[in-house]
Amino acid sequence: MGLLAVGTPLDWPEAKKVASHVREWGIEQLLAIWRRAKGKERDALLWGDEIEYLVVSFDDEKRNVKLSLRQADILEALANDAELLKQGGGVPDLACGTKKSGRNAPTFHPEFGRFMLEATPGAPWGIGFKDLLDVERDMKWRRQIAKNHVFGHEFPITLTTFPLLGDKKSITPYFPPSGPKLRSQFVPDEIANPHIRFPTLAANIRARRGRKVELNVPVFHDDKTVWPFKDPTVDYDLHNWPEDDDVRKGAVKDNCIYMDAMAFGMGSCCLQITFQAKNIEEGRKMYDQLSPLGPILLALTAATPIYKGFLADTDVRWNQISGAVDDRTPEELGEAPLKNDRWRIPKSRYASNSTYISQDPRLRPEYLDPDLVVDEQLKERLIEGGMDDRLATHFAHLFIRDPIVVFAEDLKELDLDKTDHFENIQSTNWQHMRFKPPPPGNDIGWRVEIRPMEIQITDFENAAFSVFVVLITRAILSFDLNFYLPIPRTTENMETAHKRDAVINEKFYFRKNVLPKRTPRINGTASNPASGTNTPLPSRPSTPVGPVEDEYDLMTIDEIINGRPDGTFPGLVPLVESYLDGMNVDVETRCELARYLALIKGRASGRLWTAAKWIRHFVRGHDDYRMDSVVPDGIVYDLVKAVERITVHEGRDGYANEMLGSRCSLAE
Amino acid sequence: MKLILSTSNIMGAVSSFRPITNSKSNAEFVNSLRASLEANYSIATSENVNGNGHAARLTYPSWTQMTEAGLEIPALDFSESALQEERDQYDITLKLFYLPGASIEDRGKQTREAVNLVLKELHMPSIDLLIVSFPGVYFDEEEKCPDKISTRGPIEAEPEPIESQIKTWATLETLKDEGIVKRLGIAEFGHDRLANFLDRTRIPPSVDQVNLRDCCSVPRDLLKLAKGRNIELLVHNDCSNILPRGTLRELLGSGPSGAHVLSGSAKTGEKRKSLHGEPVTNGHADKPLDGEVQPLWVVKYTAVVRNRGVVENKGYFAMAEFTNDS
């Protein structure tokens, strides 16, 4: 996402007034892309990962840890690193990096939180198996570079959230909460990236909603937790802003940790992977087939058990981000009758996706979301412009949203060679899958982004999950796998994935028969074998006609990943192994891949713990913990120190093997 | 008479997945061959669609084909099996298993038969890598790996002397000289056998394919040798004993799960008498054939789209010698 576009952002409701304008121009730009790129063919598999870091600052004497808000300084230092620039790395948004051939140095990007860094490989990965081994090295390189550009007492960690975010004190430098943009009683405006886009985003979401965002995470009910739990950190007597009334109007729910700003969600770190498809058809197929895997990947990577200094009763970040950018009005939410708004909208802009887009004949209409909201007028325009109904439905669904950040300067002239208006809507639809058209002006093809995974503490784990997802995509294409599941079941699975220890305790809807019903060809010579009243048919299975409900089952993640022992479900890892069996892979690579797959298998079976479970266990086993759900500063200091240790040693020192497994490999 | 067996493209067929018990690594070939046969001889009637009654069987002459080369089981049809893209988009690998009991003298001919069938199937002029597997050769890890031993399957052949392997290799070198094969490889060679082999071949193998299973341990001397001589050590998960004794008889025989190409079934033993007492000529009668079957070779082929990592076509051919009972 390019951030350099500067201009005059429109406040709400000025932005609202030009919403239709932006949408219409966005649709015209989309049609221009469509016409230009729909026939793009034979693109290679290229893929990239994104790692997001929190920068923390330790004070070892006082035994405390704070979030460092020095993002701008750190990026500046990275952007001016001559050595990094020579290798093609740096910070593209600060417009200093130049591309060089050879293995490019990683690039760093700003993110919403002023305590966050994002790093991507300097050039995309391919499918050469050597490339797969480079991923982990590159991730370590990135962290090392980041580490070299922060202070000695700072460290770039990959926890999804900072456990003390919103405690009104654990940030450095310190700023008081309750600024004009976020109007949060817990975090200052300075928590967000100062680029005008971000505060505007937060302010306009709040304005569109008519109140602050509202996050209520169930608190973990421990032995001595005061019950009912009433968040003791809420200030009911604040009167700086009209929105301070929210808490007096019932925004805070019992037995929940209450949060009130975009930073609590968009300040979370994720692991995202983007693939380039061969052509638009393959891209649409990958989008559909990966969609039902989203909740499974979310539960497998669960890493978010603490918010604002309290143990939560959930394990993942997803719904908090969803709530943190939920700009729906009371009418759209169904809390008030529709008067000014056009429709009720069942999901936040950040949510599990609601469309299938492939023209695959295996896609039955019953799989589609019955509650899908679509802007019929824009859909008609897309169809008129030559787009097929299914894809037009997808984009007309994304385009039910208002643009949130609009720059006045961009509304003067429609430029069909640009994609700014299209991207304005597209990139503020944060669904768990994203279908990305080719950008103008270069040779990049149709891409699919998979977005549900939580960031893992170590580069080893992040590489393992990235490579696993890549291998799954290859298995899907090679074996022509079918993961289709009705979209509402995926939506339910996403909720299930939030539950504490969902990965080992819960069951998820999953398709029973993922293997194609194809048999070897029947030869012409075998035709017309008999005659009579019993018209014989070849034993080739026909298109499915049974009830959709019979196609899926509730399965544990162990079954989904490792297969059912009775052989009725093959398991995703055995499918990947079968795929690898058909490839020429050298021993060193195969053994590294085996380590990655062993991590995934172990997480699924429960033999290895998720970070969420490990962190929860760490807190509850700490001497200072009083079994009351409260995670005090001292424990967080020890926890983040432990996380730093795990990041550095990755279990080779025997620490955290519950989470990582015992670490040894061919090379060691 | 030769029997030419084929699976056609097995990608996406249920049988191509290894069972999660990891118990039989030769299952892919046997299962996909079984599926290929069943798909050809079964006819669904309204009864068995409803779940009552057994599938009716077509008699084998209706779905096999007699040609000069032998009896194709099922009849071969290369009209729709071509790869989609240009030659240089693919990595095409063949692995040829010479079977125990087959004539070592005929290996040159066998190799050409196998390669030609695959080239015809894929509609391609050449392949990238041809790996050969000699019967009875097992790569032995120095470290303990009980998992591997247990999945190896019964050993039904002793390794042949290296002399005959080198003689076979010379016929492979010709294929490379002709440009039909770009690289050659062997499977399951340990350090000593490989070192010996390297000293005595004109074109050394580019690849040694070994089975590691879950124990990622390669003997150091083998690693060193491979590195020093620029030989790629690749991993496979095939059983060297790819077609256990009696399997073909069971698949083609007249038992409940057989294709009824041959009379009798595996359970009645290797030697059998005619069940029908009618003479069989050229396999064109409807009655199953009476006689002995000697498997000669199995070839596995894989075509991968290089820059996308997608397996587009994978399958097996096998050849057996059939001798009429007299």
Side-chain angles (χ1 to χ4, degrees):
Chain A
M1 165 172 41
L3 298 179
L4 273 183
V6 185
T8 321
L10 301 178
D11 286 335
W12 213 262
E14 298 311 308
K16 172 83 183 171
K17 291 178 188 157
V18 297
S20 291
H21 185 165
V22 171
R23 277 191 292 262
E24 280 160 25
W25 280 12
I27 289 292
E28 293 310 317
Q29 287 179 335
L30 172 60
L31 280 172
I33 303 170
W34 164 259
R35 283 190 290 264
R36 189 169 60 235
K38 65 181 174 193
K40 208 166 176 324
E41 271 292 343
R42 289 195 184 145
D43 286 319
L45 167 66
L46 292 176
W47 64 280
D49 65 89
E50 295 168 39
I51 303 276
E52 292 169 344
Y53 308 84
L54 305 173
V55 180
V56 294
S57 173
F58 291 108
D59 185 335
D60 291 335
E61 258 171 51
K62 292 184 186 150
R63 295 176 51 77
N64 71 34
V65 59
K66 291 176 174 171
L67 265 187
S68 167
L69 301 189
R70 296 199 318 111
Q71 180 196 64
D73 296 343
I74 297 167
L75 286 171
E76 188 69 31
L78 282 161
N80 291 318
D81 183 327
E83 194 55 35
L84 208 54
L85 295 176
K86 215 165 68 191
Q87 296 175 68
V91 183
D93 279 327
L94 296 182
C96 294
T98 44
K99 282 270 183 284
K100 290 267 158 53
S101 59
R103 186 73 227 156
N104 291 333
T107 50
F108 287 82
H109 318 265
E111 253 296 334
F112 175 83
R114 201 185 284 194
F115 46 86
M116 296 170 81
L117 294 176
E118 181 186 291
T120 52
W125 307 112
I127 184 62
F129 285 100
K130 302 277 185 202
D131 266 15
L132 297 185
L133 295 196
D134 282 340
V135 173
E136 185 177 343
R137 281 180 218 133
D138 193 82
M139 287 176 176
K140 289 187 159 66
W141 188 20
R142 284 178 238 172
R143 197 187 294 267
Q144 190 55 47
I145 291 171
K147 175 89 184 73
N148 292 345
H149 292 83
V150 299
F151 292 146
H153 59 269
E154 291 175 324
F155 194 83
I157 58 166
T158 40
L159 283 178
T160 52
T161 53
F162 183 64
L164 296 176
L165 179 67
D167 72 348
K168 304 180 198 174
K169 60 180 197 296
S170 297
I171 48 173
T172 179
Y174 175 78
F175 295 94
S178 200
K181 292 293 186 185
L182 268 58
R183 304 188 183 181
S184 165
Q185 60 161 278
F186 302 110
V187 292
D189 281 1
E190 288 81 0
I191 202 78
N193 185 321
H195 188 287
I196 189 66
R197 181 188 144 80
F198 294 102
T200 309
L201 192 60
N204 284 358
I205 284 175
R206 176 177 45 71
R208 192 182 189 285
R209 270 177 72 82
R211 51 192 159 167
K212 286 188 289 185
V213 294
E214 199 176 294
L215 309 177
N216 281 287
V217 185
V219 74
F220 175 63
H221 191 171
D222 215 334
D223 299 346
K224 292 182 183 161
T225 308
V226 180
W227 213 255
F229 174 88
K230 292 181 187 294
D231 189 332
T233 64
V234 178
D235 183 350
Y236 289 90
D237 293 322
L238 204 61
H239 295 276
N240 295 341
W241 306 103
E243 288 85 352
D244 290 330
D245 287 344
D246 288 2
V247 294
R248 290 181 284 271
K249 290 182 189 160
V252 186
K253 302 280 181 281
D254 274 1
N255 302 327
C256 287
I257 308 156
Y258 169 72
M259 293 168 287
D260 65 351
M262 187 167 161
F264 287 104
M266 278 293 168
S268 310
C269 297
C270 323
L271 173 62
Q272 290 161 354
I273 316 270
T274 302
F275 304 94
Q276 177 171 278
K278 173 174 80 164
N279 52 27
I280 187 171
E281 272 318 308
E282 187 183 279
R284 294 169 71 165
K285 180 177 184 175
M286 293 312 300
Y287 178 92
D288 283 11
Q289 293 304 324
L290 289 169
S291 172
L293 301 186
I296 314 305
L297 292 169
L298 178 60
L300 273 171
T301 53
T304 318
I306 306 175
Y307 276 103
K308 223 178 61 171
F310 298 99
L311 279 179
D313 204 34
T314 55
D315 268 5
V316 299
R317 76 196 190 291
W318 188 266
N319 280 350
Q320 279 62 261
I321 312 183
S322 179
V325 293
D326 192 352
D327 67 344
R328 288 175 297 171
T329 65
E331 293 180 26
E332 288 168 342
L333 284 163
E335 294 169 0
L338 278 179
K339 254 167 54 193
N340 301 313
D341 289 313
R342 294 185 290 172
W343 34 55
R344 290 178 52 176
I345 303 178
K347 289 179 184 175
S348 165
R349 308 175 76 110
Y350 188 111
S352 58
N353 65 316
S354 298
T355 53
Y356 283 133
I357 60 174
S358 175
Q359 288 171 311
D360 192 329
R362 301 175 302 181
L363 169 50
R364 300 174 63 177
E366 296 96 317
Y367 302 152
L368 300 174
D369 188 349
D371 299 323
L372 191 74
V373 184
V374 170
D375 185 324
E376 293 296 345
Q377 228 177 322
L378 296 179
K379 178 176 165 183
E380 211 169 292
R381 173 66 194 122
L382 287 170
I383 288 175
E384 199 182 276
M387 194 179 281
D388 58 276
D389 189 274
R390 199 162 272 161
L391 200 59
T393 303
H394 168 73
F395 285 113
H397 160 65
L398 299 187
F399 271 68
I400 62 171
R401 311 286 175 174
D402 282 343
I404 304 175
V405 182
V406 184
F407 291 98
E409 291 80 354
D410 295 340
L411 292 175
K412 289 180 185 148
E413 202 181 335
L414 171 60
D415 184 349
L416 287 179
D417 290 330
K418 284 169 74 179
T419 58
D420 52 342
H421 300 294
F422 167 69
E423 284 297 339
N424 192 334
I425 306 287
Q426 157 99 342
S427 66
T428 53
N429 268 278
W430 298 277
Q431 301 190 339
H432 84 275
M433 302 292 307
R434 188 179 278 162
F435 184 57
K436 302 165 101 167
N442 61 35
D443 197 37
I444 298 174
W446 294 88
R447 289 150 303 148
V448 171
E449 183 181 13
I450 178 152
R451 308 165 37 82
M453 290 191 284
E454 307 231 310
I455 199 80
Q456 305 291 289
I457 293 174
T458 65
D459 297 315
F460 159 65
E461 296 161 277
N462 286 316
F465 278 99
S466 303
V467 167
F468 173 62
V469 171
V470 174
L471 292 176
I472 276 284
T473 66
R474 299 306 98 185
I476 289 171
L477 293 174
S478 293
F479 296 122
D480 204 16
L481 300 176
N482 179 1
F483 293 140
Y484 272 124
L485 181 74
I487 285 170
R489 298 291 88 72
T490 298
T491 308
E492 286 173 59
N493 281 348
M494 216 66 177
E495 289 307 310
T496 307
H498 282 72
K499 294 186 187 169
R500 185 159 43 83
D501 284 329
V503 67
I504 46 174
N505 291 338
E506 300 300 325
K507 289 189 169 188
F508 294 77
Y509 294 105
F510 210 82
R511 191 180 183 86
K512 287 190 275 193
N513 189 1
V514 299
L515 306 174
K517 293 189 168 183
R518 192 153 57 88
T519 52
R521 63 159 185 265
I522 294 176
N523 293 298
T525 48
S527 61
N528 197 19
S531 59
T533 47
N534 263 354
T535 310
L537 305 160
S539 67
R540 178 179 273 175
S542 50
T543 17
V545 287
V548 165
E549 292 71 30
D550 290 351
E551 292 181 353
Y552 57 85
D553 208 350
L554 278 166
M555 298 189 201
T556 64
I557 291 203
D558 189 23
E559 291 174 318
I560 294 167
I561 294 292
N562 294 318
R564 282 180 161 166
D566 63 3
T568 54
F569 186 80
L572 301 185
V573 166
L575 286 169
V576 163
E577 286 171 336
S578 279
Y579 163 74
L580 289 173
D581 285 346
M583 305 295 291
N584 291 326
V585 187
D586 66 274
V587 290
E588 190 197 348
T589 306
R590 185 63 187 263
C591 291
E592 287 293 306
L593 296 179
R595 284 174 52 226
Y596 291 158
L597 294 178
L599 179 79
I600 313 290
K601 287 195 259 189
R603 287 280 165 85
S605 71
R607 189 177 62 78
L608 299 177
W609 297 2
T610 61
K613 179 167 178 167
W614 191 89
I615 292 169
R616 201 182 290 282
H617 183 82
F618 181 95
V619 170
R620 296 191 78 230
H622 196 285
D623 288 344
D624 294 347
Y625 182 66
R626 293 182 190 159
M627 296 293 161
D628 57 356
S629 316
V630 179
V631 190
D633 301 0
I635 297 184
V636 172
Y637 172 80
D638 289 338
L639 172 66
V640 179
K641 274 282 171 190
V643 165
E644 182 187 17
R645 175 181 173 183
I646 295 168
T647 308
V648 172
H649 294 287
E650 299 196 327
R652 285 188 202 86
D653 56 352
Y655 189 62
N657 283 359
E658 308 89 341
M659 180 163 58
L660 302 170
S662 61
R663 295 288 315 281
C664 51
S665 72
L666 191 67
E668 279 157 349
Chain B
M1 177 177 69
K2 295 275 173 57
L3 306 181
I4 304 159
L5 297 116
S6 56
T7 63
S8 67
N9 191 356
I10 63 169
M11 288 313 291
V14 176
S15 51
S16 66
F17 298 101
R18 61 159 119 167
I20 52 174
T21 51
N22 269 353
S23 60
K24 284 183 226 151
S25 49
N26 57 9
E28 176 180 272
F29 168 54
V30 175
N31 289 347
S32 50
L33 186 55
R34 189 190 308 276
S36 168
L37 297 172
E38 272 173 14
N40 279 283
Y41 70 66
S42 310
I43 38 171
T45 62
S46 53
E47 282 101 75
N48 69 43
V49 165
N50 294 336
N52 333 312
H54 294 285
R57 259 194 191 76
L58 296 169
T59 55
Y60 78 90
S62 67
W63 55 274
T64 61
Q65 182 167 269
M66 181 61 93
T67 66
E68 277 181 17
L71 181 64
E72 299 170 356
I73 311 171
L76 292 173
D77 173 7
F78 298 123
S79 63
E80 283 173 22
S81 57
L83 295 178
Q84 306 287 313
E85 313 272 343
E86 303 293 310
R87 172 67 190 89
D88 61 3
Q89 296 280 305
Y90 292 99
D91 239 328
I92 303 174
T93 301
L94 265 62
K95 183 168 183 186
L96 179 59
F97 300 82
Y98 299 119
L99 299 178
S103 159
I104 293 174
E105 298 302 313
D106 288 345
R107 277 191 187 153
K109 194 168 140 246
Q110 293 171 5
T111 309
R112 273 194 196 268
E113 285 169 345
V115 171
N116 285 339
L117 277 168
V118 174
L119 293 178
K120 264 193 189 162
E121 168 85 8
L122 303 180
H123 295 233
M124 286 286 158
S126 62
I127 60 168
D128 295 278
L129 174 62
L130 172 63
I131 295 169
V132 291
S133 164
F134 295 104
V137 177
Y138 293 102
F139 158 73
D140 276 312
E141 287 173 88
E142 288 161 352
E143 282 78 358
K144 287 175 192 153
C145 190
D147 195 29
K148 181 185 171 195
I149 305 297
S150 72
T151 55
R152 178 186 283 168
I155 294 176
E156 293 179 354
E158 290 301 311
E160 64 197 54
I162 193 156
E163 282 68 28
S164 71
Q165 293 173 345
I166 287 165
K167 209 171 147 199
T168 304
W169 190 257
T171 67
L172 303 177
E173 288 171 335
T174 320
L175 284 171
K176 182 172 157 73
D177 292 338
E178 291 170 18
I180 294 171
V181 176
K182 283 190 202 142
R183 298 202 299 160
L184 300 172
I186 32 83
E188 294 286 291
F189 274 32
H191 171 270
D192 295 353
R193 185 176 289 269
L194 182 60
N196 196 348
F197 198 74
L198 284 173
D199 288 343
R200 299 171 60 181
T201 47
R202 178 168 62 89
I203 301 174
S206 313
V207 163
D208 184 8
Q209 200 191 36
V210 295
N211 190 338
L212 293 179
R213 308 299 318 198
D214 291 332
C215 309
C216 267
S217 52
V218 182
R220 283 186 189 284
D221 57 353
L222 178 59
L223 271 177
K224 205 175 147 203
L225 177 66
K227 203 163 191 185
R229 302 294 289 268
N230 215 7
I231 296 168
E232 241 187 314
L233 288 179
L234 298 182
V235 179
H236 74 83
N237 190 39
D238 309 306
C239 196
S240 298
N241 183 16
I242 189 146
L243 193 59
R245 192 167 288 158
T247 307
L248 215 47
R249 169 63 67 179
E250 186 218 322
L251 287 174
L252 297 179
S254 298
S257 62
H260 291 219
V261 176
L262 305 176
S263 62
S265 65
K267 295 205 175 62
T268 62
E270 293 291 312
K271 282 265 174 196
R272 79 212 62 257
K273 289 192 178 136
S274 165
L275 296 176
H276 308 282
E278 289 172 40
V280 176
T281 48
N282 289 338
H284 277 300
D286 279 4
K287 298 286 183 216
L289 300 165
D290 273 338
E292 292 305 311
V293 176
Q294 169 61 53
L296 303 176
W297 52 259
V298 172
V299 68
K300 170 163 109 169
Y301 56 92
T302 314
V304 177
V305 186
R306 203 168 269 161
N307 66 1
R308 299 199 298 119
V310 174
V311 184
E312 187 177 305
N313 199 327
K314 176 174 169 182
Y316 293 85
F317 287 103
M319 183 85 80
E321 181 72 46
F322 173 79
T323 326
N324 266 353
D325 279 354
S326 47

